[in-house]
Amino acid sequence: MQDSQGSYPAVALDRDGRPVDSVTSNIGHLLGTGLLNHEECALVAARPSAPNLDSGHGLRTLSSESGGFNPYGYHTGSIWPHDTAIAVHGLVRAGFPQAAALLAAGLLTASADFDARLPELFAGHGAQADTRPAPYPASCRPQA
């Protein structure tokens, strides 16, 4: 796919086989897998650290620039700590430790607001909108 920030892998194919152009936290799952070459890794690694995905408390499940973004949506803008952790791990393995450190720091900051017991997910408003992450009403806490 292509947008103003460059190329990126499609998140899925629709029922007609057309690529879905949403930018999601799932993009971080590709990093460190060996599926991407160095150039593709660099393009993908820039996505999780962009403000539309990096909320300052972790990765949003859907870019805040997407039409369907909802910070309380289960997979349409909320923050899943495990998604952020997967991206952090992938960023380190792919050779982007600074981007990984920023995401990890955001998650640790959020963790402090949840008494070090991160929930399954929380709202994706982000640190610019609110210094504290907002709980998701039906979230398991802690996740594990």
Side-chain angles (χ1 to χ4, degrees):
M1 303 302 305
Q2 185 82 25
D3 67 8
S4 62
Q5 295 177 32
S7 298
Y8 64 96
V11 68
L13 299 176
D14 69 14
R15 68 179 178 180
D16 297 320
R18 294 178 304 225
V20 176
D21 64 354
S22 298
V23 176
T24 70
S25 58
N26 296 40
I27 203 165
H29 296 198
L30 290 170
L31 294 166
T33 63
L35 294 170
L36 305 175
N37 64 34
H38 179 71
E39 183 179 298
E40 291 167 332
C41 273
L43 289 169
V44 169
R47 296 291 174 150
S49 25
N52 61 317
L53 279 182
D54 180 4
S55 73
H57 297 139
L59 284 180
R60 294 179 176 102
T61 52
L62 181 66
S63 166
S64 60
E65 296 174 354
S66 292
F69 174 73
N70 174 358
Y72 285 101
Y74 200 67
H75 284 290
T76 57
S78 59
I79 297 164
W80 291 70
H82 80 276
D83 255 4
T84 303
I86 290 168
V88 166
H89 183 254
L91 284 162
V92 170
R93 288 194 65 196
F96 300 92
Q98 291 174 331
L102 288 173
L103 282 177
L107 200 55
L108 289 172
T109 300
S111 177
D113 286 318
F114 291 109
D115 299 321
R117 294 169 56 103
L118 281 168
E120 173 188 16
L121 70 155
F122 50 93
H125 297 291
Q128 291 181 341
D130 195 348
T131 57
R132 297 181 60 141
Y136 185 89
S139 176
C140 295
R141 182 172 172 225
Q143 170 70 21

